[in-house]
């Protein structure tokens, strides 16, 4: 495992007010369903993504719950990160995911697919 890119005492600034965060999400990806202001949803051709925005104002972070597969899901992930001026953290690996470093996403998909095959 690579060294963790963030120090233990790292405390990022909030992403912004809930109003500003929702506006940034809508501008970055207009198809996002934000009918529930705390839990958005985005659908792609081979994946779905839930955005756990939460009720806190200001919004500290957004947890993305990605289901499905394929690298095309990374495009909206990075578009959201750019719009919100934040980084993408792989919670399973503890590493940052960047457009040039997506190995954590690929390892997750391989693990998931292996587990699905073994349970059939």
């Amino acid at each position: 495992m690579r060294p963790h890119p963030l120090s233990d005492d790292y405390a990022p600034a909030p992403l912004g007010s809930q109003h500003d965060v929702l506006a940034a999400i809508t501008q970055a990806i207009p198809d996002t369903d934000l009918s529930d202001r705390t839990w958005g949803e985005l659908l792609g051709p081979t994946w779905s993504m839930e955005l756990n925005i939460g009720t806190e104002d200001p919004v500290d972070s957004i947890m993305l719950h990605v289901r499905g597969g394929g690298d095309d899901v990374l495009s909206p992930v990075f578009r959201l990160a750019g719009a919100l001026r934040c980084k993408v953290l792989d919670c399973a690996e503890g590493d940052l995911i960047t457009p040039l470093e997506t190995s954590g996403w690929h390892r997750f998909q391989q693990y998931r697919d292996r587990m699905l095959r073994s349970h059939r």
Side-chain angles (χ1 to χ4, degrees):
M1 176 182 275
R2 292 180 305 278
H4 197 289
L6 304 174
S7 65
D8 290 340
D9 60 348
Y10 177 72
L15 298 175
S17 70
Q18 189 179 57
H19 176 269
D20 290 345
V21 166
L22 294 174
I25 292 170
T26 300
Q27 185 172 4
I29 307 176
D31 294 340
T32 306
D33 177 357
L34 292 171
S35 53
D36 179 343
R37 299 169 60 87
T38 65
W39 197 262
E41 184 175 40
L42 183 60
L43 301 174
T46 61
W47 51 265
S48 67
M49 182 186 323
E50 294 175 318
L51 291 77
N52 183 351
I53 301 163
T55 59
E56 298 296 318
D57 196 358
V59 177
D60 287 329
S61 65
I62 298 175
M63 176 68 76
L64 304 179
H65 302 267
V66 178
R67 291 173 180 80
D71 286 353
D72 61 320
V73 72
L74 295 173
S75 178
V77 167
F78 293 126
R79 221 176 355 201
L80 286 170
L84 296 167
R85 296 175 311 281
C86 66
K87 302 206 182 289
V88 179
L89 179 66
D90 176 348
C91 294
E93 296 281 330
D95 292 329
L96 294 178
I97 300 174
T98 70
L100 298 175
E101 180 50 60
T102 59
S103 60
W105 171 243
H106 295 136
R107 279 192 301 276
F108 164 74
Q109 291 181 95
Q110 291 168 353
Y111 170 78
R112 178 204 56 212
D113 295 347
R114 207 171 41 249
M115 291 297 105
L116 288 174
R117 282 192 301 273
S118 71
H119 287 97
R120 288 184 187 166

